[in-house]
Amino acid sequence: MVVLFGALLVSCIFPLGLYFYLKTARKEDKEYQKDCWDLLWNGFLLGFPVFGFSLLCFLAFKLLHLGDNWIVKLFFSNFVLKAVSEELMKYLLASKIIKKNHAKISFLDLMAYTTISAIGFEIMESFTYLFSSNVGQIIVRGVTNMHAAFGLIMGYLMATGYKKNWKHPVLWGLVVPIIIHGVYDLCLSEEIADTDWGLLSLLIAFICLVINIVNYFFMNKARKDPYYTDPLFAEASQLSAIENTESQK
């Protein structure tokens, strides 16, 4: 158990490293620093609403007798009980901070919020693997940092959608990570893991590792570009500035 706990501590290095890196975007902004901490802590507590949402979906699934078909049951278990419940709860948590900072949030801020929410959940979930995994798997999960990668994808797509006036940017930000997450869990299921399709889960884990690495270089460059650092919602920002000016008169 001591060895497993040591592996857990090692696995937290990469998620927490990304968390502290994201916080450096606004070192002097105390509100931003507090928002980041709140997201991390509440992300850690997301296990409770995720469990509650999954339980309700499971009960509805049983009442509708949808589990008679093993294929439907397999997809429901991996896409709804796992992927949808986790990604939706992570988004809803981040959306509170996004809404609060609507007038000043930037492209990079939005990415940071969705990612930190995911990092908190990642760390919480790592604790549960102490009782159902081994040292190698725990460390690999931490290194690949998959939940953070899903958060980065979610935030990037949402911010891009807002910038380019896509229809339903939040939907894009949710659907893509849910599909990737669901496919990953599906390929790890007992019915598929031992087939050639099971290798797809390894590919997705590797892609998530690459996303985390590429993100570091992307954000380093983006922090110098007004496209990514200016307020994402210009009209709200201008209105807020006018209100602040009038209140000071």
Side-chain angles (χ1 to χ4, degrees):
M1 190 64 182
V2 175
V3 176
L4 285 174
F5 191 75
L8 172 64
L9 294 178
V10 172
S11 73
C12 289
I13 291 175
F14 293 92
L16 287 177
L18 178 56
Y19 165 72
F20 286 112
Y21 171 74
L22 293 172
K23 286 186 68 177
T24 63
R26 295 189 180 185
K27 295 180 181 179
E28 307 302 324
D29 189 335
K30 292 183 179 180
E31 185 178 5
Y32 176 79
Q33 299 293 312
K34 183 180 182 301
D35 287 340
C36 288
W37 166 251
D38 289 344
L39 278 171
L40 183 71
W41 174 243
N42 288 309
F44 185 84
L45 299 176
L46 271 183
F48 296 106
V50 166
F51 174 78
F53 180 83
S54 297
L55 179 60
L56 291 175
C57 290
F58 178 77
L59 292 175
F61 184 75
K62 286 293 186 180
L63 289 173
L64 294 172
H65 302 288
L66 298 175
D68 297 336
N69 186 307
W70 73 272
I71 296 179
V72 173
K73 183 178 180 180
L74 187 64
F75 273 81
F76 178 81
S77 174
N78 290 286
F79 279 88
V80 178
L81 296 186
K82 295 179 181 179
V84 171
S85 64
E86 293 177 9
E87 299 306 324
L88 179 60
M89 292 302 117
K90 288 186 288 186
Y91 162 71
L92 291 176
L93 173 59
S95 68
K96 295 179 181 179
I97 303 296
I98 294 170
K99 183 177 181 180
K100 180 173 78 77
N101 296 300
H102 185 76
K104 64 179 182 179
I105 189 171
S106 69
F107 192 113
L108 291 182
D109 291 338
L110 197 155
M111 285 185 66
Y113 293 148
T114 57
T115 304
I116 293 173
S117 171
I119 290 172
F121 184 79
E122 171 87 41
I123 294 172
M124 181 283 300
E125 193 177 59
S126 295
F127 277 89
T128 67
Y129 278 84
L130 283 174
F131 309 98
S132 61
S133 190
N134 56 55
V135 172
Q137 289 177 336
I138 291 174
I139 293 177
V140 168
R141 286 190 75 258
V143 171
T144 54
N145 208 8
M146 294 184 65
H147 279 291
F150 298 149
L152 289 168
I153 294 170
M154 181 186 294
Y156 182 86
L157 289 174
M158 285 174 55
T160 300
Y162 285 126
K163 277 284 190 183
K164 298 185 176 181
N165 296 314
W166 290 355
K167 288 186 177 180
H168 312 300
V170 172
L171 189 61
W172 280 102
L174 279 170
V175 169
V176 174
I178 285 172
I179 291 174
I180 299 172
H181 190 164
V183 171
Y184 173 79
D185 285 328
L186 180 68
C187 292
L188 285 180
S189 60
E190 293 181 4
E191 296 85 348
I192 297 177
D194 292 331
T195 69
D196 291 339
W197 286 103
L199 296 175
L200 188 55
S201 61
L202 296 177
L203 177 61
I204 292 174
F206 175 75
I207 291 173
C208 287
L209 173 60
V210 172
I211 288 173
N212 277 282
I213 295 172
V214 170
N215 173 69
Y216 174 76
F217 297 99
F218 163 73
M219 284 194 165
N220 269 351
K221 184 176 180 180
R223 286 179 177 182
K224 303 172 185 177
D225 188 342
Y227 179 87
Y228 297 104
T229 58
D230 285 350
L232 192 58
F233 306 102
E235 292 182 1
S237 178
Q238 292 169 2
L239 180 61
S240 177
I242 293 172
E243 292 175 347
N244 289 335
T245 301
E246 291 179 347
S247 66
Q248 292 173 2
K249 291 181 178 179

